[in-house]
Amino acid sequence: MDHLPPSTSSALSKARDVAAATMATDSITPIRTVGATYQTIRMSCVGHAELDDVVVAYVNGIKVGENYISGIFRAGEIIEYPIQYLPFVDLPSEIRFARMRDGVEIATPFTLKTPADAIALVGLGDVRIESLSIEHGVVRGVAVNRVNGLLRPEMFAKINGVVPRGVVVDQHRLLDDGGASFQFHVRLEPQDLTENGLTIDMFVIGKDGPLSSIVYRRADPDDSERRIIQLESRLDQSQQATGYQIQALDNEITARIGLLQDRIDAFIEYSASLLFDRVAATDIQHVAGAPALDAGKQKKMQMFLDLVKSGAKTRGEMSDRPHTTDRQVVPLRSSAFSQGWYDVELDDGDEYRWMASEAIVFNPAPEKKVLEVQISVLGIYGAELPMLNCFFDGTPANVLRERSAAGGPLVLRFQAPKGKSPISCDMLRIESMVSASPAALEGSSDQRLLSIAVSQIAFVYPA
């Protein structure tokens, strides 16, 4: 055998090495990917191949398919490998196929170059909206595509079923359990809210029908709600009418008592005059050592004199009404205290009146507008702090609490709302959310329902 030149033998050895490497490669990956159809990657055998393994498909380390392949394949035979979904990855990316038992690749990778290649492989996918809300005039939502995470969907909205409007879709986010999610938003216009309400339907191009909808309908009151409103109005009117009737009866009783007191005073005055005239016309001898009146008779005489004096004082108070000033105090014994008040009581010389769960105080100067009403609370029954709702006629009042630094009584200020101050009203209605009976709590004989003890009420008018 002739010896070849050194250069020729070196070139031959290199050729042999390349051929050996090619044969080794063909023995490892005798299968080539040749293309893709819908949810299928087609592979072609370039040589003899025998498989009996579970083959897993990966994209950037993310498993996208798993299929058991078994058989003896000859050159030119086609193997179809199913792919059900694609995650969100950067393009271009390769789909690699490896045996599960040892991780050895059994075919050349399939390259995804553009989103169009992903659509051709797995389609548009299944876009679903997981959340949809309206915040500050903007419709915001989150959608998920678990089949084609590479698809950037084109979405649009229909406002009130007619007006189309583009939807801004944000960047994708990879999901741990497969696929991708993306946020979207669309801005609303003031004219979108019509007299009948608002309807928003979200669509994605390539899918029939809306993905999700928001419907806002104007809440018109039904028959039951209208009846409740009418009932509340009638109750309020009945309450005011009852208060006026009680005040009228109180005024009538006060007038009758005053007339009776006048007659008693006239009788006393006439009797005293007659008695004094008789005494003055008769000489009475002084009896030395005459016994004084006993204690019982002296007490009856003093009670009679106190009754006469108190009647005169009451008539004086009734005839001399206080003049209306910027701050007018309502006397505790005044007839302005209508329903819901108990009789005046004394505590260490301080007068006060207990209120039931609901009470009415009439405005002493109804021709004037009221800025606020000040109430001095001497005591609270069944609670540490008063919990009250107050109304100027039917208008709710703002309740403020103040306590003086000197430790005086708690002062409640009932003010009209800012937009309605000062306010015209005929009466102040007070409702206590906490009230109790001493008979129930303490086991006493007092059956009254008590809430707060009031020592003073004053109406404040603008100057």
Side-chain angles (χ1 to χ4, degrees):
M1 182 176 180
D2 297 335
H3 293 281
L4 297 175
S7 59
T8 306
S9 62
S10 175
L12 183 59
S13 62
K14 289 182 179 179
R16 289 174 179 174
D17 292 340
V18 171
T22 303
M23 291 177 63
T25 303
D26 290 343
S27 62
I28 296 175
T29 57
I31 303 174
R32 298 284 186 269
T33 55
V34 295
T37 59
Y38 180 64
Q39 293 188 347
T40 303
I41 293 180
R42 297 174 62 85
M43 305 175 184
S44 176
C45 295
V46 295
H48 179 78
E50 182 177 355
L51 294 175
D52 187 13
D53 299 283
V54 176
V55 179
V56 182
Y58 296 94
V59 177
N60 289 1
I62 302 172
K63 185 170 69 172
V64 297
E66 181 178 324
N67 188 34
Y68 175 73
I69 302 177
S70 177
I72 300 175
F73 303 94
R74 294 182 175 83
E77 289 192 34
I78 299 297
I79 302 175
E80 293 187 346
Y81 189 93
I83 298 292
Q84 298 180 353
Y85 82 97
L86 292 175
F88 173 66
V89 293
D90 295 330
L91 296 180
S93 293
E94 293 181 341
I95 302 178
R96 296 181 174 272
F97 305 91
R99 292 190 302 227
M100 178 179 287
R101 56 186 174 87
D102 55 9
V104 176
E105 296 188 6
I106 58 97
T108 57
F110 179 80
T111 303
L112 294 173
K113 298 180 180 179
T114 62
D117 295 339
I119 296 175
L121 179 58
V122 295
L124 295 176
D126 186 15
V127 180
R128 296 181 182 273
I129 294 180
E130 293 194 345
S131 66
L132 191 64
S133 62
I134 300 178
E135 300 176 1
H136 307 291
V138 178
V139 180
R140 300 184 183 276
V142 176
V144 172
N145 191 341
R146 300 188 182 276
V147 175
N148 189 351
L150 294 171
L151 176 67
R152 188 183 183 92
E154 296 184 10
M155 300 180 65
F156 67 95
K158 274 190 178 182
I159 309 300
N160 297 323
V162 178
V163 181
R165 189 164 299 161
V167 176
V168 179
V169 180
D170 298 337
Q171 187 64 31
H172 292 55
R173 293 183 180 179
L174 180 64
L175 294 177
D176 295 337
D177 55 348
S181 67
F182 50 89
Q183 297 180 349
F184 60 90
H185 65 274
V186 56
R187 183 172 298 277
L188 299 177
E189 302 295 339
Q191 61 270 18
D192 294 338
L193 185 60
T194 63
E195 187 175 314
N196 295 326
L198 175 65
T199 302
I200 305 168
D201 299 319
M202 306 301 300
F203 293 84
V204 63
I205 295 179
K207 185 173 182 179
D208 296 334
L211 299 178
S212 182
S213 302
I214 292 180
V215 179
Y216 172 75
R217 298 296 183 190
R218 187 177 63 181
D220 294 329
D222 56 12
D223 186 60
S224 61
E225 291 179 350
R226 282 193 293 267
R227 290 183 179 180
I228 292 174
I229 294 172
Q230 293 175 0
L231 179 59
E232 290 180 349
S233 177
R234 290 177 182 176
L235 287 176
D236 189 54
Q237 293 175 3
S238 176
Q239 196 170 35
Q240 294 187 15
T242 302
Y244 291 137
Q245 291 175 2
I246 292 175
Q247 185 186 32
L249 291 174
D250 193 7
N251 293 339
E252 183 179 354
I253 293 174
T254 303
R256 291 187 178 184
I257 292 176
L259 179 60
L260 181 61
Q261 187 67 47
D262 290 339
R263 292 177 178 178
I264 293 174
D265 291 341
F267 174 75
I268 293 173
E269 184 178 358
Y270 175 76
S271 300
S273 299
L274 181 61
L275 179 61
F276 291 153
D277 289 343
R278 292 293 182 91
V279 170
T282 304
D283 294 332
I284 301 176
Q285 295 180 358
H286 178 70
V287 180
L293 294 176
D294 57 4
K297 293 181 179 180
Q298 187 69 27
K299 184 178 180 180
K300 290 181 180 180
M301 181 62 69
Q302 188 62 38
M303 290 176 60
F304 175 74
L305 294 176
D306 292 342
L307 177 61
V308 173
K309 292 178 181 179
S310 64
K313 183 178 179 181
T314 303
R315 288 192 296 114
E317 289 178 352
M318 292 177 58
S319 61
D320 187 15
R321 288 195 173 184
H323 296 287
T324 302
T325 58
D326 292 341
R327 184 178 185 274
Q328 183 168 343
V329 177
V330 182
L332 290 178
R333 300 180 184 272
S334 172
S335 59
F337 285 84
S338 183
Q339 68 180 59
W341 297 99
Y342 297 104
D343 295 335
V344 178
E345 301 178 34
L346 285 174
D347 182 21
D348 294 335
D350 297 329
E351 292 186 342
Y352 65 93
R353 297 187 74 161
W354 278 108
M355 189 190 89
S357 60
E358 184 175 348
I360 291 176
V361 180
F362 284 96
N363 184 5
E367 71 279 0
K368 288 189 174 184
K369 292 188 175 182
V370 179
L371 282 175
E372 67 177 19
V373 178
Q374 301 173 357
I375 295 184
S376 299
V377 178
L378 196 64
I380 307 166
Y381 196 82
E384 295 182 359
L385 291 175
M387 291 180 283
L388 306 175
N389 292 324
C390 299
F391 303 88
F392 292 101
D393 290 341
T395 303
N398 298 326
V399 182
L400 304 178
R401 290 196 297 262
E402 294 181 356
R403 188 179 291 276
S404 62
L410 177 66
V411 178
L412 301 179
R413 299 171 58 191
F414 305 145
Q415 296 181 342
K418 291 184 178 181
K420 299 182 179 180
S421 180
I423 189 171
S424 297
C425 71
D426 294 325
M427 66 177 182
L428 176 71
R429 181 162 56 91
I430 309 172
E431 296 178 355
S432 177
M433 292 181 283
V434 176
S435 58
S437 173
L441 290 183
E442 305 173 8
S444 65
S445 59
D446 191 353
Q447 300 289 339
R448 297 180 300 173
L449 189 63
L450 306 179
S451 57
I452 60 173
V454 175
S455 59
Q456 187 185 85
I457 292 182
F459 282 74
V460 180
Y461 309 98

